[in-house]
Structures are given as C-alpha cells and as structure tokens.
C-alpha cells in the first residue's frame, strides 16, 4: 500500500523501519558508504527552508492481520523555486516489481498538480537508479565526480605546510556551527561569487547568497541535525571574506562528513587560499569530531584547479554523481499511458 506520509507525525517504529530500508539499500548499492543512524532522522526528513515544501509517500507491507508492516519504499518531492526535486528508495528485496515506478508516479502527479513543470533528481553512478530513471525518460543534464578522503591516509605533516602556505595579508578563521552573525554580510558577498556561474547544473541544492537566506539555511541545517563547520580566509587590509570552505557533519552518518561550497573570490585567487583553507579544515575536524573517518566531496569534471587541490589533500575520485531532469507533464503522460498513475 502506498500512502502519503508525514515524518513529523510518523510513529517511531515507522522511522526505524524506514532507516532499515535506507541501510539495506546502502548495503546493496553503496557498500563502502557508512550505514545511517537514527539520530535526528525525523528532523532530517521533516525540516525545510522557508518557502520550500517536502511531500512524502511510503510503501508499507500489509501483514496477515491487517496491521501495517515494514516500510519497503519511500519517495519525497522537495518543491523549491521552479523545480520539484525527488528522492526515491525501494528495499532491495522488493525491487524490479514496479514499486519504484509507482512511487515516482505519486510524486510526479502531485508535482504536476502543484504547477511545477520540471522534476530533477540526483542519481548515483553505477547503481540501479541510472537504468530506472533512464527507463522513465529522465535525461542526464549534469555530471560531477564524488571523491572521498580517508583521514587515516592523510599526511598531517604535509598538510600542516599546506595550511600555513597562504600568502601574507590573509588570515584563516575557523567557525564551528557557522559564521558569526556580524560576518554574514561579508560571507554572503563571497558566496555571491558563484551565483551567476551557469555550469549547466539543475540547481538541485541551491546555495544562499543573501544574509537572511544564509541565516535561514544555517538554522535549517542545525534543525536537521547537520553541523556546519566553516573556515574563512579574511583579507586583512579590507576585512573582506576572500574565501570560504564549508563542511557539514550530519548526525545521521557522523563518520563521513560532506564538503559543501568552497569559494575563493576572483580577486584573491592565486594566493594558496583554497589549499590552506581545506588543510586547516581537516585539522579542525580531526579535533572537533573524533568519530570522523572520511570526508566526501563533489566536483564538476571541468573544475580542474579544485580537483588538483583535492588530489593533493588525498581525495580519491570514486564514482559519477549525476543530475537527471524530466518535464513533469511528459512524465505523467508517460506513466498514465502505462496505467501507473491511475488512482
Ligand atoms: C532506483 C529504484 C528506486 C528502482 O526501484 P524498483 O522498484 O526496482 O523499480 P521498478 O521495478 O519500478 O522499475 C521500473 C523500470 O526501471 C528500470 N530499472 C529498474 N531497475 C533497473 C536496473 N537495475 N537496471 C536497469 N533498469 C532498471 C526497468 O526498465 C524497470 O522496468 P522492468 O522491471 O519492467 O524492466 C531502486 O533500485 C532503489 O531504491 N535504488 C536505491 C535508491 C536510489 O538510488 N534512488 C535514486 C536516487 S533518489
């Protein structure tokens, strides 16, 4: 049975059951990734940025006595800006029986009714999801490479030299939890540097370029159990933020952190800022998060300077991470034609 589901009011047993399915999928598709924990998982699924909505459905087993059983599938659509971003999951035991298609049909129909014309999805290379979305008519729009750095392989002596290798006139500052409020204006100005870069991606995880949106975004991260760490490069003469790097440690998988934005403002490039900020970040993470074992990052294949620095730090390219998109009306039409969206 597929039904709409609200993680805010779901029972603890349902949250646990969903976690089991998430971890079964990881074990099947990405065995080297850490298993997730039930730590702020409800908040992770429920909390959104102001102006965004996430609508979820689950597929639940029906037991012989009619009581609801395990959650074997889940889909949600995050409605943001002009795009619906979906995330879908089917327990490995129940794959290739049409459940994934049924879940997508629920999300697609609602997205269409809400007036959105585009659906986007992040699809992990070398997993069944590639064949699944291509069979549904989604087109590949953008590809990044995911790379992973194992802290156990880091050469800390060389890293210390990298952290100190920043040109004079700049200093690094570390802010666990996010930049202080009085720095948000300068921080937002630095982030705006990447706003107008049209690199062809679908903007499925938009960055925040104004102070209020940044504030909202930091608050949303905290509510979802995701702790941000920031290293800033400050240009001492002007007080401007010359560069920033952001890493988030999620309560759901605290042994593997996620690299978010790294930006060096154009006028400040060529002074060793990228390398120094990231090296300093690794020292700070090692001290602040004793359980942390790995950091993962995603880079466009064209971003050669950043790939080079990441390789020097010890990141190893692991697999493609793709963005797929589809016109919602066409998707609903296609699913209707196969009878899947029929109520
Ligand atoms: C992707 C996923 C949701 C598919 O669920 P599913 O229930 O197995 O999918 P369906 O049975 O509805 O498959 C529909 C069609 O997709 C295609 N498809 C599904 N799995 C496929 C695979 N492993 N290889 C090639 N094509 C595949 C087929 O055309 C299939 O139709 P068919 O079985 O009649 O040939 C499931 O594999 C999964 O949970 N993966 C992990 C989570 C994930 O990566 N999600 C995507 C990112 S949000």
């Amino acid at each position: 049975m597929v039904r709409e589901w609200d993680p805010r009011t779901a029972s603890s047993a349902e949250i646990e059951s969903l976690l089991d399915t998430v971890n079964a999928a990881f074990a099947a598709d990405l065995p080297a990734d850490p298993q997730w924990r039930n730590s702020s998982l409800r908040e992770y699924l429920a909390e959104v940025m102001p102006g965004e909505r996430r609508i979820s459905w689950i597929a639940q087993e029906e037991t012989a006595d009619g009581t609801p059983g395990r959650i074997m599938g889940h889909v949600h659509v995050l409605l943001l800006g002009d795009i619906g971003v979906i995330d879908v999951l089917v327990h490995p035991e129940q794959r290739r029986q049409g459940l994934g298609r049924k879940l997508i049909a629920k999300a697609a129909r609602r997205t269409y009714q809400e007036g959105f014309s585009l659906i986007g999805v992040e699809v992990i290379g070398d997993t069944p999801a590639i064949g699944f979305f291509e069979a549904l008519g989604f087109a590949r729009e953008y590809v990044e490479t995911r790379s992973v750095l194992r802290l156990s392989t880091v050469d800390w002596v060389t890293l210390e030299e990298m952290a100190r290798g920043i040109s004079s006139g700049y200093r690094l500052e570390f802010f666990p939890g996010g930049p202080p409020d009085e720095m948000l204006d300068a921080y937002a100005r630095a982030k705006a540097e990447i706003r107008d870069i049209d690199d062809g991606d679908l903007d499925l995880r938009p960055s925040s370029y104004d102070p209020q949106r940044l504030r909202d975004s930091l608050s949303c991260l905290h509510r979802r159990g995701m702790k941000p760490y920031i290293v800033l490069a400050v240009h001492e003469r002007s007080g401007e933020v010359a560069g920033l790097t952001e890493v988030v440690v999620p309560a759901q998988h605290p042994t593997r952190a996620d690299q978010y934005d790294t930006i060096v403002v154009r006028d400040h490039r060529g002074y060793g800022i990228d390398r120094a900020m990231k090296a300093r970040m690794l020292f700070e993470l090692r001290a602040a998060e004793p359980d942390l074992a790995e950091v993962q990052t995603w880079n466009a294949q064209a971003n050669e300077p950043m790939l080079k620095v990441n390789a020097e730090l010890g990141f190893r390219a692991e697999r493609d991470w793709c963005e797929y998109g589809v016109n919602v009306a066409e998707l609903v039409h296609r699913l209707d034609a196969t009878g899947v969206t029929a109520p």
Side-chain angles (χ1 to χ4, degrees), residues 185-234:
D185 282 354
Y187 195 83
R189 276 196 296 279
K191 296 265 279 188
E193 183 83 5
I194 55 166
R195 177 177 14 200
D196 298 325
I197 298 176
D198 182 9
D199 55 2
D201 72 334
L202 293 175
D203 237 358
L204 304 183
R205 299 184 193 189
S207 291
S208 304
Y209 309 117
D210 69 75
Q212 188 50 47
R213 209 179 136 80
L214 262 175
R215 216 171 270 124
D216 291 341
S217 146
L218 288 163
S219 143
C220 183
L221 278 176
H222 283 289
R223 279 182 280 117
R224 297 181 82 200
M226 303 162 84
K227 184 163 184 193
Y229 289 93
I230 313 285
V231 170
L232 295 183
V234 178

Side-chain angles (χ1 to χ4, degrees), residues 29 86-90 94-101 121-122 127-129 131-133 135:
D29 301 333
I86 52 170
D87 205 325
V88 63
L89 173 73
V90 170
Q94 292 219 345
R95 291 188 184 167
R96 295 310 284 265
Q97 296 170 41
L99 183 52
R101 195 185 268 143
V121 62
E122 274 188 288
T127 70
F132 173 73
F133 283 105

Side-chain angles (χ1 to χ4, degrees), residues 51-119:
E52 293 178 359
R53 272 184 305 148
R54 187 187 287 115
I55 311 172
S56 310
W57 292 261
I58 53 168
Q60 205 161 14
E61 275 180 340
E62 283 168 66
T63 55
D65 64 0
T67 53
R70 294 188 297 164
I71 293 178
M72 301 305 275
H74 173 255
V75 65
H76 68 232
V77 58
L78 180 66
L79 301 173
L80 57 92
D82 57 359
I83 191 167
V85 182
I86 52 170
D87 205 325
V88 63
L89 173 73
V90 170
H91 195 293
E93 284 170 21
Q94 292 219 345
R95 291 188 184 167
R96 295 310 284 265
Q97 296 170 41
L99 183 52
R101 195 185 268 143
K102 204 183 263 180
L103 288 164
I104 291 291
K106 287 280 183 196
R109 180 164 283 250
R110 177 66 69 82
T111 306
Y112 181 68
Q113 286 163 351
E114 296 282 349
F116 286 72
S117 56
L118 184 65
I119 283 183

Side-chain angles (χ1 to χ4, degrees), residues 5 12-31 33-38 41 45 57-61 69-75 87-95 99-100 103:
W5 183 73
S12 303
E14 284 174 351
I15 298 284
E16 274 295 341
S17 180
L18 179 56
L19 178 65
D20 287 347
T21 293
V22 167
N23 282 331
F26 270 118
D29 301 333
L30 299 166
D33 278 41
Q35 293 273 293
W36 280 39
R37 304 177 184 178
N38 189 356
L41 185 57
L45 295 165
W57 292 261
I58 53 168
Q60 205 161 14
E61 275 180 340
R70 294 188 297 164
I71 293 178
M72 301 305 275
H74 173 255
V75 65
D87 205 325
V88 63
L89 173 73
V90 170
H91 195 293
E93 284 170 21
Q94 292 219 345
R95 291 188 184 167
L99 183 52
L103 288 164

